[in-house]
Amino acid sequence: MDRLNTATLQAGHPWPMGASWDGHGINFAVFSVHAQAMDLCLFDAAGSVEVARLRLTAHTNDVWHGYLPGARPGLLYGWRAHGLWQPDQGHRFNPHKLLLDPYARDIVGTYAWNDEHFGFDRQQPAQMDPRDNAVTALKTRVVDDHFDWGDDRPPHIPIADTVLYELHVKGFSKSNPNVPAALRGTYDGLAHPASLAHIKALGVTTLSLLPVHYAVNEERLVEKGLCNYWGYNTLGFFATSPALASHQHWSTARDEFRAMVKAIHAQGLEVLLDVVFNHTAESDELGPNLSFRGLDNASYYRLLPGNRALYENFSGCGNTLDIRQPRVLQLVLDSLRYWVSDMHVDGFRFDLAPVLSRGDHGFERGGAFFTAIAQDPILSRTKLIAEPWDIGPGGYQLGAFPHGWMEWNDRFRDAMRGYWLHSAQPPRTRGDFALRLCGSSDLYQHRQRRQRPPAESVNYVVSHDGFTLTDLVSYNVRHNEANGEHNADGHADNLSNNCGVEGPTEDSAILALRSRLQRALLATTLLAQGTPMLCAGDEMGHSQGGNNNPYCQDNATTWINWTLADQTLIAFTARVLRLRHQLLPLGHQWYSGLPTARGPADLAWMGASGESLQVQSWNDPSDGVLGCLIGKPGRATTPLLLLVNPDSRDCPFALPPGPWQALLDTAHPQGETDWQGEGHFPLQAHSLALLAVCPAD
């Protein structure tokens, strides 16, 4: 198009960002500090013909804006940004490339890795590529965000009652025969009664969904015939992934997602989103111009000091969003508020969260992002969970996030794996176990600043990122050959699974041991002080064949096989969660080890003979048997006794005086036991037991 048409475009407002319909027309607003001009490009309904190109003449506080009277939702558009092509100075403007609106609610088209989408000539990277990519570029569709929410309300589950359940929308229901075939692997599939009945019966409270934002598959994966199944490569922070929609009952993926949230809320369950604000899908300096890079590369990304043609890569994915820039921070906050206000989600898990508060000199606990969240009347009420590390300098920040933030506790994961599987070098001890079991006080019970409650520790032994629980006790090393990286990707766990056999087996004794270890790990996670997290499928015995990094496996490797679900393990998991909800064995407060008003100490530790542990006993790797006498449980009205035996020999455990009854014994397949008695409890190898004082007659 040779001529710019400005006849119908009015000045409009620099707010709200993106495209917004007011019932009479559409206002457009896009941020760019360094652009010299901005064109709004309109397309036909198919997105194949550019029908108008309108120059925005209004420019306020670094926001280009215009108003198109008479325009309605359904309009397809994109941006062309004019400016300098000076990669060495951080500027990568190329008006030949159509760009997505960073605030796009609906993204149209299918992205293919064509050379025309790159701002530079891939044969001569210093040169601008002059080809126009508008026909094949992704485009933004203007939406009307109205949805009939009815009486939907957030469950607001207290943190002390929260049990997280991490799942992938597709993988959870894709192979469930009780879900209609057309709905499997979709938002509708997760909302189906067959899915929610399982989740509800299990006893979890809060679904933590792997990314559902619009994402792009990396070029290297596409070349291998793979995809980014997990979705940690976001391009649209306001757009719902259409790949997860069934399109059976709803005209848009956005409405299907909202209907899913409404159905989940109706069951009293919460929905959290895993969000990826540390980087975008545009990759490093050799990546394409899809949106942010073409609109204002020097503002959206952290560029390498001394060589602004390159990117600071604290994400490991090629680039890092620059949250230091006020408008980039605004983008993140606006996205979060949108997903809470318009999509009704209940909170977020932040991937590589330290990136969000990196200043000029590293992680800042009092940084602008945390301050903005804390004062926000919407976001401050939501559940906020940090993955508390990135790959930048000083990137490991477990325990350093502000009060009110929960954090994935990988030290809990490593200590419990080491304790039960003897996989750590040097071996994990009773001291490690006790510290992590009781809320990781070294991380959260700080003396020099306000204490954080133990529930802010998210306790897990398995997440999406690593072995499944079944594979954890079945494999010593990873088996990631299908990922196409010669088995060099993923964690080099090098476990000892205690079973002597690698991989599948028909040996009944080994299978029984593996099952017992799974139950011990599950019970430890679910009864520990803190907020427990299960990874979907672990309660069913799901296996990924030893692949501990299946991010690119959109197939039976990652889809939960419901026909092989271990019903006994499901029943066991539900039983443990019932005990947690009923008794909350370790309460929502820090323990002192001092006597209570009822007499015994609020928490005391003992060895198998009933004696209090001496200092040297805590670090003795040859003896792992341990008892925890809880004089002040969270909800139980009488003391509880938690007994653990990670060793390979049964151990009669000397009980405190009086009659006791066992509420849980993981040595039994469903954890059920009717044991009552005094003197000694028969604590079997590789098992955990929870006992209570017998009620008086």
Side-chain angles (χ1 to χ4, degrees), residues 30 32 38 79 81 93 99-100 102 291-297 300:
V30 62
S32 181
M38 190 72 66
W79 297 109
F93 291 99
L99 305 170
L100 273 175
S291 178
F292 314 93
R293 175 173 286 134
L295 288 169
D296 195 344
N297 182 67
Y300 276 108

Side-chain angles (χ1 to χ4, degrees), residues 582-595:
Q582 292 167 6
L583 306 175
L584 194 63
L586 289 161
H588 190 50
Q589 76 280 335
W590 292 109
Y591 287 91
S592 67
L594 299 175

Side-chain angles (χ1 to χ4, degrees), residues 116-161:
E116 64 191 30
H117 296 310
F118 290 76
F120 59 91
D121 186 323
R122 300 189 84 181
Q123 304 304 317
Q124 302 180 62
Q127 303 299 315
M128 178 191 292
D129 185 294
R131 289 173 292 183
D132 193 296
N133 73 333
V135 172
T136 58
L138 296 171
K139 298 167 183 75
T140 304
R141 177 186 282 135
V142 181
V143 303
D144 175 5
D145 262 329
H146 173 75
F147 182 79
D148 182 7
W149 283 103
D151 60 354
D152 182 70
R153 295 290 185 275
H156 287 310
I157 295 169
I159 188 173
D161 295 326

Side-chain angles (χ1 to χ4, degrees), residues 34 81-95 97 99 118-120 125-128 283-298 301 303 307-311:
H34 299 101
H82 301 259
L84 298 174
W85 176 261
Q86 292 182 341
D88 60 331
Q89 298 301 313
H91 302 307
R92 296 177 178 268
F93 291 99
N94 185 339
K97 309 304 174 184
L99 305 170
F118 290 76
F120 59 91
Q127 303 299 315
M128 178 191 292
S283 189
D284 60 16
E285 65 277 3
L286 299 179
N289 277 30
L290 303 179
S291 178
F292 314 93
R293 175 173 286 134
L295 288 169
D296 195 344
N297 182 67
Y301 295 116
L303 305 180
N307 188 353
R308 293 177 63 78
L310 304 179
Y311 296 80

Side-chain angles (χ1 to χ4, degrees), residues 18 77 100-107 139-141 236-239:
Y77 74 96
L100 273 175
D101 194 319
Y103 281 73
R105 264 53 165 184
D106 192 13
I107 296 175
K139 298 167 183 75
T140 304
R141 177 186 282 135
F237 294 109
F238 295 78

Side-chain angles (χ1 to χ4, degrees), residues 619-681:
N619 297 314
D620 180 4
S622 65
D623 185 0
V625 177
L626 182 64
C628 179
L629 179 61
I630 309 169
K632 187 179 180 182
R635 297 197 177 106
T637 57
T638 61
L640 299 175
L641 182 62
L642 186 69
L643 307 178
V644 289
N645 179 9
D647 299 336
S648 58
R649 292 181 296 180
D650 297 346
C651 176
F653 199 103
L655 300 175
W660 292 83
Q661 62 179 348
L663 307 176
L664 175 74
D665 187 349
T666 67
H668 301 282
Q670 292 193 20
E672 295 178 339
T673 175
D674 57 3
W675 185 93
Q676 291 189 26
E678 300 183 53
H680 290 79
F681 177 79

Side-chain angles (χ1 to χ4, degrees), residues 75-346:
L75 179 71
L76 297 185
Y77 74 96
W79 297 109
R80 294 183 189 270
H82 301 259
L84 298 174
W85 176 261
Q86 292 182 341
D88 60 331
Q89 298 301 313
H91 302 307
R92 296 177 178 268
F93 291 99
N94 185 339
H96 304 293
K97 309 304 174 184
L98 190 76
L99 305 170
L100 273 175
D101 194 319
Y103 281 73
R105 264 53 165 184
D106 192 13
I107 296 175
V108 177
T110 301
Y111 182 73
W113 284 94
N114 300 330
D115 288 354
E116 64 191 30
H117 296 310
F118 290 76
F120 59 91
D121 186 323
R122 300 189 84 181
Q123 304 304 317
Q124 302 180 62
Q127 303 299 315
M128 178 191 292
D129 185 294
R131 289 173 292 183
D132 193 296
N133 73 333
V135 172
T136 58
L138 296 171
K139 298 167 183 75
T140 304
R141 177 186 282 135
V142 181
V143 303
D144 175 5
D145 262 329
H146 173 75
F147 182 79
D148 182 7
W149 283 103
D151 60 354
D152 182 70
R153 295 290 185 275
H156 287 310
I157 295 169
I159 188 173
D161 295 326
T162 298
V163 178
L164 299 167
Y165 188 71
E166 188 191 36
L167 65 86
H168 189 285
V169 169
K170 183 172 185 177
F172 183 74
S173 69
K174 181 63 176 176
S175 298
N176 189 344
N178 295 319
V179 174
L183 306 184
R184 294 173 194 165
T186 69
Y187 305 122
D188 275 345
L190 179 55
H192 190 270
S195 296
L196 295 182
H198 171 82
I199 293 169
K200 186 74 172 178
L202 198 60
V204 299
T205 68
T206 305
L207 309 188
S208 182
L209 309 185
L210 266 65
V212 300
H213 288 171
Y214 190 101
V216 171
N217 296 316
E218 293 90 335
E219 186 176 24
R220 61 180 180 80
L221 292 178
V222 173
E223 290 174 347
K224 295 176 181 178
L226 300 171
C227 69
N228 191 323
Y229 169 71
W230 284 349
Y232 289 93
N233 202 39
T234 305
L235 182 60
F237 294 109
F238 295 78
T240 311
S241 172
L244 298 174
S246 71
H247 302 292
Q248 297 294 304
H249 305 305
W250 303 93
S251 59
T252 67
R254 190 174 64 263
D255 283 350
E256 186 174 326
F257 177 90
R258 291 193 276 200
M260 177 197 73
V261 172
K262 187 176 178 181
I264 293 171
H265 281 175
Q267 295 297 317
L269 303 169
E270 294 178 314
V271 180
L272 309 186
L273 299 187
D274 199 332
V275 289
V276 188
F277 291 110
N278 52 77
H279 76 283
T280 78
E282 291 183 311
S283 189
D284 60 16
E285 65 277 3
L286 299 179
N289 277 30
L290 303 179
S291 178
F292 314 93
R293 175 173 286 134
L295 288 169
D296 195 344
N297 182 67
S299 293
Y300 276 108
Y301 295 116
R302 294 182 68 123
L303 305 180
L304 197 65
N307 188 353
R308 293 177 63 78
L310 304 179
Y311 296 80
E312 291 188 309
N313 184 17
F314 301 146
S315 66
C317 299
N319 63 58
T320 306
L321 277 175
D322 194 350
I323 311 297
R324 298 171 299 181
Q325 303 298 327
R327 291 290 185 180
V328 182
L329 175 61
Q330 179 189 350
L331 171 77
V332 173
L333 296 172
D334 286 350
S335 171
L336 296 173
R337 277 190 293 266
Y338 173 76
W339 286 95
V340 175
S341 299
D342 290 70
M343 308 297 272
H344 283 209
V345 304
D346 304 290

